[in-house]
Every structure is written in C-alpha cells, then in structure tokens.
C-alpha cells in the first residue's frame, strides 16, 4: 500500500500539488524498487538498466520476507 501513495502523493494528501515530471519519474522508480523488493523478485533482463540494484535485493530480501511474515 506504500506504492500508490509514493506515485500519487497529492491524492494521499502528502503534497499540496502533483510533483513535476522529473520528480514523478523518480517517485515511479522508487515505487518500482519497493514493489520488486516486496515481491522478492529482482530485476530481470527486461529491465537491464535496473539490474544494478539487484545486490540490494540479496541484502534486504531476508528482512523484507521477515517483515511480511510479521504483518501477515
């Protein structure tokens, strides 16, 4: 439930206005990273430019799995 608020902060009353195009792109990438981590699925060949972040998945996937198990 974090990703919709990250991608649309105005709709969730986090910001008074919609972010500009550059900030929207950054927020979309942040949401995408969080969603991939939540799904415990690293970036694949279809997202070659994002594969550099896969070491973060190796590092934080166990913590994310533990978090999900605790809240479920």
């Amino acid at each position: 439930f974090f990703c919709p608020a990250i991608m649309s902060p105005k709709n969730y009353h986090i910001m008074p206005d919609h972010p500009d195009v550059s900030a929207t792109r950054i927020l979309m990438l942040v949401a995408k990273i969080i969603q991939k981590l939540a799904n415990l699925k690293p970036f694949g060949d279809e997202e070659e430019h994002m594969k550099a972040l896969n070491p973060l998945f190796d590092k934080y996937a166990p913590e994310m799995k533990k978090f999900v198990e605790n809240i479920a």
Side-chain angles (χ1 to χ4, degrees):
F1 298 112
F2 297 113
C3 292
I6 291 170
M7 292 182 62
S8 302
K10 182 182 186 302
N11 296 346
Y12 291 85
H13 308 289
I14 297 169
M15 294 179 66
D17 297 311
H18 291 290
D20 63 33
V21 175
S22 177
T24 299
R25 173 76 177 144
I26 292 167
L27 292 172
M28 183 185 70
L29 291 172
V30 168
K32 189 174 197 174
I33 292 165
I34 291 171
Q35 188 66 46
K36 285 285 193 173
L37 185 57
N39 291 333
L40 300 174
K41 183 177 181 198
F43 292 101
D45 292 334
E46 70 280 356
E47 298 161 315
E48 190 71 34
H49 63 287
M50 301 292 281
K51 284 175 82 173
L53 296 172
N54 283 344
L56 288 173
F57 287 94
D58 295 336
K59 182 176 181 180
Y60 293 109
E63 291 181 41
M64 177 59 85
K65 188 175 181 180
K66 186 176 176 181
F67 172 74
V68 172
E69 288 172 353
N70 286 338
I71 64 169

